[in-house]
Amino acid sequence: MHPHLFTPLHLRPFTLKNRVVMGSMHTGLEEREDWAALTRFYRARAEGGAALIITGGIAPNPEGAVFQGAAELTDANLSHHRHLTDTVHQHGARIVLQILHAGRYAFSPHCVAPSPLKSPISPFPPKELTEETIAKQIADIASTAQRAISAGYDGVELMGSEGYLINQFLAPRTNRRTDRWGQDRRLFAREVTKATRDAIGPNLLIFRISLIDLVDQGQTWEDTAALAQELSPLVDIFNSGIGWHEARVPTIAQNVPRAAFAPLTARLKALTDRPVIAVNRIPDPATAEAILAAKQADLIGLARPLLADPDWVNKAQNGQNITPCIACNQACLDHTFEGKAATCLTNPAAGREAEFEAPPAPAKTVAIIGAGAAGLACALTAAKRGHKVTLFEAAAQIGGQMRLAAKVPGKEEFQTLLAYYEAEARHPNITLRLNTRAGTADLAGFDAVVIATGVRPRKTALPGPDYQQALNGAPLGPRVAIIGAGGIGFDVAAFLLGHEDFATEWGLGDPAVSAGGLQTPRPMKPSREIWLLQRSKGKPGKGLGKTTGWIHRAHLAAHGVTMLGGVDYSHFDDQGLHVLQDGQPLVIPATDLVICAGQEAVADLPGPRIGGARDAAGIDAKRAIEEGTRMGLAL
Ligand code: NAP
Ligand code: SF4
């Protein structure tokens, strides 16, 4: 299967056994110095078949650390790195250390940059680097690279994209210097790469090059092409970098089409004889194989998909069902930004593999009521351990609320998760009883019972379809007020707006046409007028995901959705919805209401509960799957 994906690639220092590179991801275990968990994490991905692993970003010095105290490679922790690299090598993979100097993105008062310009996503203005301190940054990067080789790494990746220090030197947006480092904006990248090559000798050197900055005054394609040509003699592989962190165009979220940026990698490939890695939104083997077959890239970078399934590569080779990454960011990047260790919504064991080890179980008979996310996760975990599971589901299909999520434009990846569960539910230890609303009598005789009956929409005094009815196609007029502005209110608003072209909506252009690759966003004219309302004061959407909330808010704002907080509902009549907003009477001329006012637990049967049936407040797929998995392990 997938012949291109499984063709070895011969490089100068060694041969990669296949075309899958695990992209750099910060797990948070680095700073906790949980070496056992970190080593276990990388070991699982090596065992799972990845040819090459790139570590999470490691700072070359304190001023370059993404936040104060972010991981560095020091003489003190070198032996732990050595154990980690030995372990990865024993399990058949190569591993390189990513060196990441954050420049002005460092969340610290000690941050440095080519010019003293504060980034819009950081409160800290950077100190302008001097000739002397530039030399220090280069020396620190090179000495970290040298130490990486002493720690057993097969090489290093230089983070030259995503708006970090090297990229800051490259773009006019952040490099306003008039000295040689500004007159020749590529000089820093060249000097860092040369010094790194000198430090690591013939070991592997990857440069992550920004193919599209997606910010004003970013690089042109001409700049990128010149850099690629200058660096080609120095590097072994180019990795693709897409968009700065401060960019206002989504680059990895669910609404980004699969393989959206592969054409840019193909353009890079045409410029260099070095192998190139395609990245971002390549979740499945078919997409990866197609990119390689079309010669758009030589290697495929998978980051989040290898959180979701460490065995992605081996499973792709054997045609097995892969636990999908649905690009939600909820348990990986959102956790990182909340200062928590990264894990995965679809695979709660990610980063805590030892905690979720599944010992074989003495085969009990287990009844699980409800085949939504929690019930399914519980059933699969229990069945794989050896229990005999009967999974009752009142509906004609499994999936529960995930089926509704899959209907929302930009959330179609939930369909992939449903397909995964549908295939896994065929496990020989699972008997699936669809169209069966289990009663107490059905549960007699089982060794264990688990209630995963989920939630029902909360009713309010206001009339109108609830979110389930709306997402299932309840007819609605031209002006809709949505009561409740949680995640589901936002989803319903997006559903009512409908599908549209990603590049046109977000202004994704071509760096060969405009610097930074931006074009004027042209969101489609909305077919409906929508209001999204909440009683709490403040702007709706504060509780949305750290890394994706801005996308949902910007999407609705671009289509003229009025988002109001501090709303006191009165009544709904022919004129519309009568409210007090911040104490002032207001009539919202809505023709229809949709009620998205949260949920209540459905827990009519006795027994231990998981997911929404246990606690409806704040239930989402992340908590449901984790609770289901933990219950499956505890049975
Ligand atoms: P939610 O986040 O709790 O929001 C419920 C909304 O209803 C709030 O805006 C609340 O605001 C309002 N509300 C509550 N009681 C009300 C009442 N009696 N009358 C009128 N309004 C009322 O819940 P949800 O939107 O149903 O989402 C459920 C879970 O799914 C959440 O945990 C959410 O994180 C998750 N989810 C996440 C995403 C995502 O993109 N990550 C998407 C969908 C769902 P006021 O009380 O201020 O009026
Ligand atoms: Fe993918 Fe979501 Fe898991 Fe992150 S949490 S790896 S985005 S499925």
Side-chain angles (χ1 to χ4, degrees), residues 161-162 209-215 219-222 224-225 228 238-244 249-251 256 258-272 274-280 282 291 294-299 502-503 507-518:
S161 62
E162 261 71 4
I209 185 168
S210 182
L211 301 183
I212 184 164
D213 290 339
L214 294 174
V215 288
Q219 297 169 93
T220 61
W221 185 257
E222 216 176 296
T224 304
F238 280 109
N239 196 357
S240 304
I242 306 293
W244 289 30
V249 179
T251 55
V256 178
R258 288 184 181 188
F261 301 102
L264 287 172
T265 303
R267 213 186 274 177
L268 170 69
K269 186 169 159 56
L271 291 171
T272 173
R274 296 295 173 217
V276 296
I277 309 177
V279 297
N280 287 27
I282 308 174
I291 291 170
K295 300 199 182 323
Q296 290 180 300
D298 304 283
L299 292 156
F502 174 79
L508 174 65
D510 183 343
V513 174
S514 59
L518 293 175

Side-chain angles (χ1 to χ4, degrees), residues 25 252-254 303-309 323-335 342-348 350 417 622:
M25 279 179 290
I252 58 167
Q254 261 182 354
R304 297 172 300 168
L306 292 185
L307 274 185
D309 199 331
T323 312
C325 164
I326 57 169
C328 64
N329 286 358
Q330 277 175 252
C332 52
L333 275 180
D334 283 353
H335 274 205
T343 178
C344 174
L345 176 143
T346 61
N347 172 26
L417 188 56
K622 182 176 86 167

Side-chain angles (χ1 to χ4, degrees), residues 173-190:
R173 177 181 180 82
T174 38
N175 185 348
R176 305 280 169 82
R177 303 176 73 97
T178 51
D179 63 1
R180 63 191 184 116
W181 302 98
Q183 283 164 13
D184 175 0
R185 285 183 276 103
R186 297 191 298 277
L187 178 61
F188 184 75
R190 282 200 308 275

Side-chain angles (χ1 to χ4, degrees), residues 358-520:
K364 286 188 199 166
T365 57
V366 181
I368 300 173
I369 324 303
L376 283 164
C378 183
L380 299 188
T381 310
K384 284 178 187 169
R385 291 182 60 213
H387 291 309
K388 300 283 176 208
V389 175
T390 303
L391 181 56
F392 293 92
E393 170 55 51
Q397 290 169 303
I398 65 165
Q401 302 249 104
M402 291 188 290
R403 257 181 214 285
L404 294 173
K407 292 177 186 239
V408 177
K411 291 205 160 183
E412 293 83 359
E413 289 290 358
F414 269 97
Q415 202 57 56
T416 323
L417 188 56
L418 285 168
Y420 162 77
Y421 280 127
E422 270 161 5
E424 292 291 296
R426 290 186 207 114
H427 192 285
N429 284 349
I430 298 179
T431 304
L432 186 57
R433 301 268 307 272
L434 294 172
N435 300 305
T436 308
R437 188 172 293 281
T440 318
D442 295 300
L443 309 183
F446 285 96
D447 297 329
V449 171
V450 177
I451 309 300
T453 38
V455 294
R456 63 170 73 88
R458 179 183 286 135
K459 291 196 183 313
T460 71
L462 292 166
D466 59 45
Y467 68 88
Q468 298 193 350
Q469 292 163 327
L471 291 170
N472 282 323
L476 294 168
R479 297 185 302 282
V480 178
I482 298 171
I483 308 299
I488 290 179
F490 271 81
D491 279 354
V492 167
F495 174 78
L496 296 177
L497 290 171
H499 288 267
E500 67 185 303
D501 179 69
F502 174 79
T504 316
E505 176 186 359
W506 290 95
L508 174 65
D510 183 343
V513 174
S514 59
L518 293 175
Q519 64 176 353
T520 308

